[in-house]
Amino acid sequence: MLERLAKERRARLAAERLLEQKKRELQSANQQLALHARALSEEIVEQRQGLARALSEAASLKGQNSQVLSDLEHATSLARIAQTRLWDALETVRDGFAVFDGNLRLVAANRAWLTFFEGEIALSQGVTYDAVLKIAAQHGLIELDGRDPLDWHHEMTARIRRAQIEPCVVRLAGGRHLNLIDRWGSDGDLVCLTQDITITIRREAELQEARDRAEAANRAKSAFLANMSHEIRTPMNGVVGMADLLCETEMTEDQRLFAETIRSSGEALLTIINDVLDYSRIEAERMQLYPEPFDLERCLHEVMLLLQPAAREKGLRLLVDFDLFLPTRFIADPGRMRQVLTNLIGNAVKFTLRGHVLARVVGIELADETYELHVTVEDTGIGIAPEHVEHIFGQFNQVDSASNRKFEGTGLGLAITRQLIEMMGGSVWVDSVPGEGSCFGFRVPLTPAEPREEVDKPSTPIRLKCAMVVDDLLINRVILERQLETYGLQVTLCRSAAEALKVIEDGGVFDLVLTDHEMPGMTGLDLAQRLREGGMRVPILLLTSDPEAAQAMAGAGGDLTGIMQKPVLRSDLFRTLQDLSCIPPEPEEPVPPPAPEAPPEQGRQMRVLAAEDNRTNQLVFRKMVKEFDIALEFAGNGREAVEIWDGWQPDLIFMDISMPEMDGREATRAIRAAEAGSTRHVPIVALTAHAMAGDAESILAAGIDHYLTKPLKKSAIAERIAAHCPPEARPPLPAGMEV
Ligand code: ADP
């Protein structure tokens, strides 16, 4: 029983434990269920929220979609409008326009493009480029000038295959010309433009024809001018030469006036002919420059001296201010540079009635050892109104006004000047104030003739310390002061002779006095006299534009140490200062007279042959050399010249170029051929009336050593004779004659 009870108790206890466990399990299951239920409900809430969001997004997307649809519609309509406009535009232009796709099939073409094929075939969308070419070639649309249509077709298809397609011109059978411009587009399309250039081509042909005609006329004009130059210069040689000789003879005053008028008119006429020739040469592009080393300052100075008489007549002062730090020797065509300077300074003198003409040269050294020179010519003349400034550089152009009409001229000088300076790589300008004066200038790049070291080489020192400069003109005083200061002198400037005397009275001591001649109040000569009377012994230099007149006025009194030509050349002044540095300040003894000249050397006469057909010119030549100690023979033509040369062996031949039977070139060639192989070489100087460029080369090419242009100048002939006198002959020129 007990056992049963115990068993029951154990069973009950076990049941109670099981119940307990189940209860716990149930509780935990309940808890889990609750958790799960909560999670589920949270999920449901979330999903609901998501759904709500999705629904709202869907609603907004629906709105957006309709916006996009409306935008698309708008864009499509805009694109349609743009396309229509584009095609309207393409239809309006006269040029043909077509587009092919990447497979070279026609996508679209305007009517103008299709018109090129009208009447032959109808081109439709999708037709290939290749087919278009074939149609054009085979239906005779293109003028092939006898070429095989297949060749043309190949060439055109090859052209289109290049990435960069060159434009090409085709001629249609009807005579029209088309310019084909094709280009590959970025998306592989081929865009073709076809321009009708028939009118342009026709105009070009007409222009070319007109140009050919004009050039032929210009050549004819140049040839005419060359001939005219010959025809006019030959008799002018006679007129000027004879007038020149006539002036050397005894004549009454009236006769002298007539003869001098003939000579100066002849020379004026030659100047005009030269101007016309120069201009026509430049126009025909036959002008050439012959650069060589030359002294620009000296050239400028010589031009000034040439113009000095004209300036003096009007009382004008000519001044030169050449930058002291510039070299003076440059490489350029000296003749042409001289021509430019003569023209500008000549004009300044011509158009100035009172005052001065100042030529100023300044420059800067460029990196490549050339100098950019600025040359200006300033005057105090009538000036030029602004509206005429450009006009005056044209050919045959002059200012046409009452103030200007009294001046003579061709109106070519400035046109030639501008062209010459431009040929030298420079430019010309002018500033002018009517009634006050003008300043013409040019800029030109020039290379110095010698390297700097040679220019700066040391020379005799200048020992003078203090100088007094007396001049009424400020510019002159300033220029002289600068020049003297660079040579190390201290300079005192005086505006008048009275001021100079006052300075001396006040105790001024100087080693040198430089005085102008013509000054208001007291002249330079009178000043010199007063200074000498006052006991001054230092050198006194008189600067004058007319040294001869000053010398005549000064007489043999000896107040002056020297007379210098104005404008003073810097190198002359420098040399004078050097000379004055070497002489003792007060010469005790009179300078001994120069030793008598050595008796003329003995020897045979120099033999000179002149070949010249014109009797007058022979006479002129004979008269020109009549004082020379030479044996002269004439030949009437080239053949005679060769014969005389062979038999007489002249030392020098003057050879006219234009002669009947055998001209000068041929005769020279014959002489040179005969000389070939021997050591003989007779100098031959051509006498030519041809002044056209190009003649010089052809003349020299014939074997001529030198040439002189007619009308002949006695000095030029003398120079040639002196240069070619052989050692065994007597000096040909009279003693004291300068060449
Ligand atoms: P020309 O002097 O032979 O008439 P240019 O070509 O040298 O020809 O000059 C053209 C014109 O320019 C002159 O006629 C003159 O009217 C004007 N001219 C030139 N230089 C000057 C100057 N220095 N002052 C005033 N006018 C000038």
Side-chain angles (χ1 to χ4, degrees):
M1 185 64 179
L2 270 172
E3 199 176 324
R4 219 171 70 209
L5 276 173
K7 208 175 168 184
E8 273 181 11
R9 208 169 128 239
R10 273 200 307 272
R12 201 185 70 235
L13 280 172
E16 276 173 7
R17 273 201 303 273
L18 186 66
L19 183 67
E20 198 61 32
Q21 190 190 342
K22 288 293 168 194
K23 252 190 202 163
R24 272 201 308 273
E25 277 179 11
L26 188 66
Q27 202 174 355
S28 130
N30 264 342
Q31 271 173 356
Q32 286 225 333
L33 205 60
L35 276 174
H36 191 62
R38 203 162 60 233
L40 265 180
S41 79
E42 276 172 7
E43 206 173 300
I44 286 169
V45 168
E46 236 171 61
Q47 278 185 355
R48 271 203 194 127
Q49 282 173 346
L51 185 65
R53 264 201 312 275
L55 281 173
S56 101
E57 268 172 25
S60 101
L61 274 177
K62 199 173 159 200
Q64 275 178 16
N65 193 23
S66 59
Q67 178 65 39
V68 167
L69 278 177
S70 105
D71 284 355
L72 187 66
E73 212 170 288
H74 184 59
T76 315
S77 122
L78 283 181
R80 204 172 304 119
I81 291 170
Q83 197 182 20
T84 314
R85 277 185 188 146
L86 181 68
W87 276 103
D88 283 349
L90 287 172
E91 286 298 352
T92 313
V93 291
R94 281 153 153 226
D95 299 334
F97 173 83
V99 184
F100 290 81
D101 65 12
N103 298 321
L104 286 178
R105 287 187 180 280
L106 183 63
V107 178
N110 69 356
R111 211 167 306 126
W113 193 84
L114 294 170
T115 312
F116 298 129
F117 304 92
E118 216 173 55
E120 299 300 328
I121 39 117
L123 291 184
S124 58
Q125 234 181 4
V127 64
T128 63
Y129 191 87
D130 194 61
V132 173
L133 288 178
K134 275 199 184 119
I135 291 162
Q138 286 164 5
H139 285 236
L141 292 182
I142 306 290
E143 185 56 74
L144 295 174
D145 291 326
R147 287 175 63 194
D148 187 334
L150 265 181
D151 277 357
W152 183 80
H153 175 257
H154 284 317
E155 197 180 291
M156 294 302 279
T157 41
R159 168 179 174 270
I160 219 72
R161 278 195 217 104
R162 292 184 201 116
Q164 294 285 339
I165 308 165
E166 285 290 308
C168 85
V169 176
V170 292
R171 189 149 60 92
L172 300 189
R176 288 160 72 198
H177 285 84
L178 301 184
N179 188 24
L180 307 185
I181 301 169
D182 305 279
R183 199 170 72 85
W184 288 106
S186 52
D187 51 359
D189 283 353
L190 179 69
V191 184
C192 305
L193 192 69
T194 309
Q195 296 170 318
D196 189 337
I197 54 165
T198 314
I199 294 175
T200 316
I201 296 259
R202 195 181 310 138
R203 293 245 163 89
E204 261 173 27
E206 283 166 9
L207 275 178
Q208 183 61 41
E209 202 182 312
R211 207 168 106 174
D212 289 348
R213 274 203 305 271
E215 276 174 0
N218 204 24
R219 276 194 298 277
K221 182 191 76 181
S222 297
F224 167 74
L225 284 173
N227 288 338
M228 188 184 81
S229 111
H230 176 74
E231 298 302 330
I232 299 179
R233 277 162 169 264
T234 305
M236 283 307 291
N237 186 29
V239 174
V240 176
M242 279 298 189
D244 215 8
L245 293 170
L246 196 60
C247 289
E248 284 178 19
T249 62
E250 290 271 313
M251 275 185 289
T252 66
E253 220 164 89
D254 274 355
Q255 285 167 335
R256 180 164 302 284
L257 178 71
F258 300 155
E260 277 174 3
T261 310
I262 295 172
R263 183 176 60 183
S264 61
S265 306
E267 280 170 355
L269 182 55
L270 276 168
T271 313
I272 296 172
I273 294 170
N274 284 343
D275 269 4
V276 173
L277 277 172
D278 272 352
Y279 195 79
S280 76
R281 246 183 255 171
I282 293 174
E283 239 194 356
E285 293 178 4
R286 287 176 66 183
M287 172 71 84
Q288 282 177 12
L289 296 178
Y290 298 98
E292 59 179 81
F294 80 111
D295 191 318
L296 176 63
E297 192 188 15
R298 189 167 286 278
C299 172
L300 180 58
H301 198 253
E302 282 167 5
V303 171
M304 285 289 192
L305 291 192
L306 194 80
L307 295 165
Q308 190 68 270
R312 209 162 40 221
E313 244 170 54
K314 300 190 198 176
L316 297 182
R317 311 243 192 161
L318 296 186
L319 315 168
V320 173
D321 184 10
F322 197 100
D323 187 342
L324 300 167
F325 299 99
L326 272 183
T328 61
R329 287 172 53 77
F330 291 93
I331 297 174
D333 185 326
R336 296 299 172 192
M337 187 57 88
R338 192 190 174 91
Q339 186 176 1
V340 166
L341 293 172
T342 309
N343 183 252
L344 295 183
I345 301 171
N347 274 351
V349 170
K350 182 160 74 172
F351 295 105
T352 304
L353 303 175
R354 68 191 67 85
H356 69 258
V357 172
L358 165 67
R360 184 170 270 147
V361 183
V362 292
I364 39 167
E365 193 172 1
L366 304 175
D368 54 355
E369 290 191 0
T370 56
Y371 280 81
E372 183 172 288
L373 294 191
H374 285 235
V375 180
T376 48
V377 177
E378 190 186 294
D379 65 53
T380 51
I382 60 168
I384 306 158
E387 64 272 22
H388 291 136
V389 163
E390 254 317 296
H391 170 78
I392 55 168
F393 286 101
Q395 69 265 38
F396 302 109
N397 286 354
Q398 297 174 314
V399 173
D400 187 19
S401 67
S403 64
N404 198 64
R405 221 159 281 152
K406 54 182 175 287
F407 300 102
E408 287 176 2
T410 57
L412 276 175
L414 287 178
I416 295 170
T417 296
R418 174 184 265 182
Q419 301 268 15
L420 286 176
I421 290 295
E422 284 175 1
M423 280 179 77
M424 294 180 197
S427 54
V428 184
W429 67 85
V430 57
D431 291 319
S432 187
V433 179
E436 285 187 19
S438 313
C439 178
F440 281 81
F442 65 88
R443 173 197 67 78
V444 61
L446 291 185
T447 314
E450 288 88 19
R452 208 166 232 298
E453 312 85 69
E454 279 179 43
V455 178
D456 294 342
K457 66 176 179 266
S459 53
T460 320
I462 290 168
R463 295 209 177 79
L464 307 169
K465 293 275 174 281
C466 304
M468 176 158 83
V469 169
V470 192
D471 199 310
D472 58 316
L473 197 66
L474 174 69
I475 310 172
N476 250 344
R477 289 198 299 272
V478 173
I479 295 173
L480 271 171
E481 181 185 30
R482 260 193 281 138
Q483 290 184 339
L484 292 167
E485 279 179 355
T486 40
Y487 302 137
L489 278 90
Q490 263 185 17
V491 185
T492 302
L493 300 177
C494 299
R495 261 170 297 172
S496 65
E499 195 181 325
L501 290 172
K502 176 91 179 41
V503 169
I504 302 278
E505 225 176 79
D506 292 348
V509 180
F510 303 97
D511 302 329
L512 170 69
V513 175
L514 291 130
T515 174
D516 182 25
H517 183 202
E518 299 286 344
M519 289 185 289
M522 189 190 293
T523 68
L525 268 179
D526 294 340
L527 171 67
Q529 195 185 355
R530 290 279 297 273
L531 291 176
R532 293 294 185 223
E533 281 165 9
M536 184 180 254
R537 287 287 156 261
V538 300
I540 303 178
L541 295 177
L542 184 81
L543 313 184
T544 169
S545 62
D546 192 351
E548 274 175 30
Q551 185 64 64
M553 273 187 248
D559 292 337
L560 297 172
T561 315
I563 296 178
M564 297 190 80
Q565 168 83 54
K566 279 206 313 188
V568 178
L569 190 61
R570 197 164 31 135
S571 52
D572 282 353
L573 178 65
F574 183 64
R575 215 170 309 114
T576 308
L577 293 181
Q578 280 181 328
D579 293 348
L580 292 177
S581 297
C582 298
I583 54 168
E586 281 179 64
E588 301 290 321
E589 297 291 319
V591 182
E597 283 195 12
E601 287 170 44
Q602 293 307 304
R604 66 168 175 85
Q605 266 189 326
M606 178 181 177
R607 289 189 290 270
V608 176
L609 169 63
E612 166 69 72
D613 61 313
N614 185 301
R615 306 283 289 156
T616 317
N617 287 346
Q618 281 192 8
L619 196 59
V620 171
F621 193 94
R622 188 182 292 286
K623 293 264 184 190
M624 278 185 172
V625 301
K626 77 169 189 290
E627 302 161 28
F628 302 172
D629 189 4
I630 55 171
L632 177 66
E633 283 283 328
F634 278 105
N637 58 44
R639 189 184 41 71
E640 267 179 44
V642 179
E643 280 167 17
I644 298 175
W645 163 78
D646 198 24
W648 191 50
Q649 301 296 314
D651 301 309
L652 172 64
I653 303 178
F654 287 98
M655 182 80 82
D656 186 26
I657 290 298
S658 304
M659 286 185 291
E661 249 181 271
M662 183 190 264
D663 76 6
R665 284 191 194 82
E666 269 180 77
T668 306
R669 270 189 226 109
I671 293 173
R672 294 292 179 238
E675 283 174 343
S678 73
T679 52
R680 286 165 61 194
H681 181 97
V682 61
I684 302 181
V685 177
L687 308 180
T688 167
H690 285 273
M692 296 296 284
D695 284 344
E697 288 98 283
S698 83
I699 289 168
L700 297 177
I704 283 167
D705 303 275
H706 199 92
Y707 71 93
L708 299 176
T709 316
K710 290 180 184 177
L712 299 177
K713 288 256 177 291
K714 187 170 164 183
S715 59
I717 293 175
E719 190 189 17
R720 287 296 104 205
I721 289 179
H724 294 294
C725 179
E728 67 275 17
R730 303 204 285 268
L733 305 192
M737 176 164 181
E738 279 188 30
V739 290

